[in-house]
Amino acid sequence: MRPAHSERQAGHHAQGLGVPPSPRSSADPAPSRPHIAVAILGSGEAAATLARELVRLDNVEVASIWCPRPDGPAGIAAAEIGADIRTDLGTAARAPGVDLVIDASGDERAQAVVSALLPRNVELLSGSSVRLLARVLADGGSGERRVLAELRAALDRVRGQERRLLASRESLVRANAALDHELAEIYFMHEFFKDLTAYTDPLDVCSLIVDAANGMFGATISAVYLVEREDWTFRLCASQGRPVEAFRDAVPVAETTLGEAFRRGLSNSAVRPPSPVETGWIASGAVSAQAAVALQVGSEVIAVLAMGFPDDRVFDSAELDRLRGMADQAALAVQNAILHGELERLSVTDRLTGLFNRGYFEQRLDGEVSRAQRYGHRLSLILLDIDEFKSFNDSYGHPAGDDVLRMVSAVIGSNLREMDIAARYGGEEFVIVLPETDTAGALRVAERVREQIELLSFEVGQEGPVSRSVSVGVATLPEMAPGAPELVKAADEAMYRAKRQGKNRVVSAADADGPRGGE
């Protein structure tokens, strides 16, 4: 049997394992490291481990693994590292190109066969030398594995830090997005509140509120209903999202989600599909969710904002706070607009009769005359005076005279179209502007008013009911006057002609000799 470990083989092996060579002078050229082709004998785990460790060494090639069981651990390792598998030991021992055979089989018979067949230039390593080689390789591998483990741990730490940085960046992005959203909402609310103070008409204010409701809360439809306390009814003021016909014009205070908001301050059925009873403020079309909030100043609810949504809609606490904040500001704006409108109405209204006052009449007359002249339309004016009103006041007192003024005003108001303008001209005189009306039409209106006033009876204490009559003058633009002052003068002169002709009659400025009516 050939020696287990020759001096030549040990030298080759040491160089293959990276053991430093003996010192040589700096003048000697550095020799190249020889290539060693290795064959491993064995089928078990020891042979497989040696194969995997050797293949990692520089200048070492695991050429083949001699194993009678190719499906064992050594055969699997051979497949992994690309080494030949030889099952016939006789053929394997004679294979060319092998420098060293390592016996990891632990089988003395197999070792004897291979040793006898090996060429003389091929060394055989077995026994304790193999175990020593395995320990050296294992120690080197474990060191490398430790380095790899440390590298993996360092890599994991780097990746963990990257993940934390990425999470922090994403969190920062989300925080910035939330901040941008909040700033946008604050800006929107600021602009909304600023715009609210710029409008003084209730319709304009309520229209702005429904715009804001759709923009801030994503409502597809919205409406503001004002509370009418005379009949305890909600009256539609402004709406958006559907034609106005899709909203009920009037809703009893006790009904729908409007009534719930009126009683509780807030109605939020956005967490469940609302019933048809709750959505009764909508005349046509359906919604999947709705919400309503009272516009309240102090303890008085002056209006209700209702919103509808096409899908399920849940208001979070921040949105509810924003809705209540918006409602508080909107309520003040609506109240201010209503009060402003009332002040405007009072400023142009005669408080005793409820008709417009003289100042408003003169302002409107100028505008109507300009419009009639611009478009070539007719414009008629009726001026009437209560006959013998001073003596009536002297006989029955001013409270009775005030009753007469109010009842005459009611008759006048009941005979007007929406475009007509009626005013108390002064004392017991009244004036009516009839746009787009010729003389014949104006005379019919004047006669109808005169007849109805004549039929009135006034209770004046123990003397029983009494009646009053009126004298009426009619003038028409442009036939009887070129402008507003001339039109008033013509109607006034016609009214005084009616007085002179016996009172209780209608006289046209165009025909002083043809009075209508009479005592």
Side-chain angles (χ1 to χ4, degrees):
M1 179 177 294
R2 188 175 281 103
H5 191 196
S6 69
E7 184 177 352
R8 176 177 62 85
Q9 174 60 34
H12 284 183
H13 176 63
Q15 293 179 18
L17 293 178
V19 177
S22 59
R24 45 172 68 91
S25 97
S26 59
D28 294 337
S32 61
R33 300 175 68 182
H35 174 83
I36 300 175
V38 177
I40 299 174
L41 173 61
S43 299
E45 192 64 46
T49 301
L50 276 173
R52 292 190 179 98
E53 293 293 343
L54 287 171
V55 79
R56 296 158 59 120
L57 300 178
D58 294 337
N59 297 326
V60 174
E61 175 190 4
V62 178
S64 61
I65 296 180
W66 302 345
C67 56
R69 292 186 294 107
D71 57 345
I76 295 173
E80 290 176 1
I81 65 177
D84 290 339
I85 299 175
R86 299 185 182 274
T87 58
D88 181 63
L89 293 180
T91 304
R94 299 185 183 90
V98 175
D99 300 313
L100 174 66
V101 175
I102 300 174
D103 179 14
S105 67
D107 186 345
E108 295 182 356
R109 294 178 57 188
Q111 179 182 345
V113 172
V114 171
S115 178
L117 296 177
L118 282 179
R120 295 185 62 84
N121 64 331
V122 178
E123 299 294 337
L124 176 65
L125 191 66
S126 62
S128 59
S129 299
V130 174
R131 289 190 291 273
L132 177 61
L133 175 62
R135 281 197 299 272
V136 171
L137 292 174
D139 289 342
S142 63
E144 187 174 346
R145 283 192 294 271
R146 282 194 300 272
V147 173
L148 289 175
E150 291 176 2
L151 289 175
R152 290 193 187 99
L155 182 60
D156 289 341
R157 288 194 295 272
V158 171
R159 288 175 176 172
Q161 186 66 17
E162 288 178 347
R163 285 193 296 269
R164 286 190 293 274
L165 289 174
L166 181 59
S168 298
R169 181 177 179 276
E170 292 175 349
S171 177
L172 182 60
V173 169
R174 288 193 298 270
N176 286 337
L179 180 60
D180 289 342
H181 182 70
E182 185 174 352
L183 290 175
E185 287 183 346
I186 292 173
Y187 177 77
F188 186 91
M189 291 289 282
H190 174 266
E191 292 298 307
F192 170 65
F193 295 154
K194 185 174 70 175
D195 290 343
L196 281 178
T197 61
Y199 294 102
T200 57
D201 183 84
L203 176 59
D204 292 336
V205 172
C206 292
S207 297
L208 183 62
I209 292 170
V210 295
D211 285 343
N214 288 15
M216 292 174 61
F217 302 105
T220 52
I221 64 169
S222 56
V224 172
Y225 283 81
L226 300 180
V227 179
E228 296 286 349
R229 280 175 164 72
E230 294 180 357
D231 57 357
W232 290 106
T233 302
F234 294 114
R235 299 285 178 185
L236 179 64
C237 181
S239 60
Q240 192 179 68
R242 291 179 185 171
V244 67
E245 296 80 12
F247 300 87
R248 285 179 62 185
D249 182 63
V251 179
V253 166
E255 296 181 5
T256 76
T257 192
L258 304 177
E260 184 178 357
F262 180 83
R263 295 186 298 273
R264 300 174 52 189
L266 178 68
S267 172
N268 181 17
S269 60
V271 297
R272 55 183 169 79
S275 68
V277 175
E278 293 174 313
T279 58
W281 56 282
I282 304 172
S284 62
V287 294
S288 296
Q290 66 175 356
V293 62
L295 307 186
Q296 183 172 345
V297 178
S299 60
E300 181 181 0
V301 177
I302 59 176
V304 172
L305 165 65
M307 296 176 286
F309 306 90
D311 302 310
D312 293 342
R313 179 72 162 81
V314 179
F315 280 75
D316 58 31
S317 59
E319 287 179 316
L320 290 176
D321 289 342
R322 193 159 60 249
L323 177 60
R324 292 188 182 99
M326 171 193 171
D328 289 343
Q329 295 297 322
L332 291 173
V334 172
Q335 183 189 53
N336 289 339
I338 292 174
L339 292 176
H340 185 273
E342 183 65 15
L343 288 174
E344 280 195 338
R345 187 188 68 80
L346 292 175
S347 69
V348 300
T349 303
D350 178 73
R351 294 191 179 185
L352 177 63
T353 64
L355 300 178
F356 292 118
N357 58 29
R358 180 168 177 168
Y360 183 76
F361 154 72
E362 291 176 345
Q363 174 187 344
R364 287 294 305 274
L365 179 62
D366 289 338
E368 291 297 333
V369 167
S370 297
R371 191 170 68 88
Q373 291 172 338
R374 182 164 60 251
Y375 296 106
H377 294 165
R378 297 290 188 272
L379 176 69
S380 292
L381 186 72
I382 298 174
L383 190 64
L384 62 89
D385 182 87
I386 302 175
D387 296 329
E388 300 177 356
F389 185 72
K390 184 178 183 303
S391 62
F392 183 91
N393 271 345
D394 293 341
S395 299
Y396 305 111
H398 286 86
D402 290 345
D403 289 340
V404 172
L405 292 172
R406 280 190 286 265
M407 295 181 71
V408 168
S409 300
V411 170
I412 293 173
S414 67
N415 284 278
L416 299 182
R417 302 167 300 177
E418 187 174 349
M419 69 173 67
D420 299 335
I421 303 162
R424 185 181 179 188
Y425 193 62
E428 68 274 20
E429 290 183 323
F430 297 87
V431 64
I432 305 171
V433 181
L434 302 174
E436 303 182 18
T437 303
D438 58 13
T439 303
L443 289 172
R444 286 193 295 271
V445 173
E447 185 61 28
R448 188 164 62 245
V449 170
R450 186 199 66 78
E451 290 176 351
Q452 292 178 12
I453 292 174
E454 185 180 17
L455 296 175
L456 293 176
S457 61
F458 308 96
E459 295 292 335
V460 289
Q462 296 180 353
E463 298 186 23
V466 297
S467 62
R468 291 288 90 188
S469 63
V470 291
S471 297
V472 187
V474 175
T476 302
L477 185 85
E479 293 94 328
M480 305 171 197
E486 296 85 359
L487 186 65
V488 174
K489 182 179 179 182
D492 186 60
E493 291 176 351
M495 183 266 293
Y496 275 106
R497 282 197 294 271
K499 291 276 190 185
R500 291 193 296 269
Q501 292 173 8
K503 304 182 182 66
N504 192 23
R505 65 193 64 226
V506 177
V507 173
S508 168
D511 186 10
D513 297 327
R516 293 168 176 258
E519 292 181 333

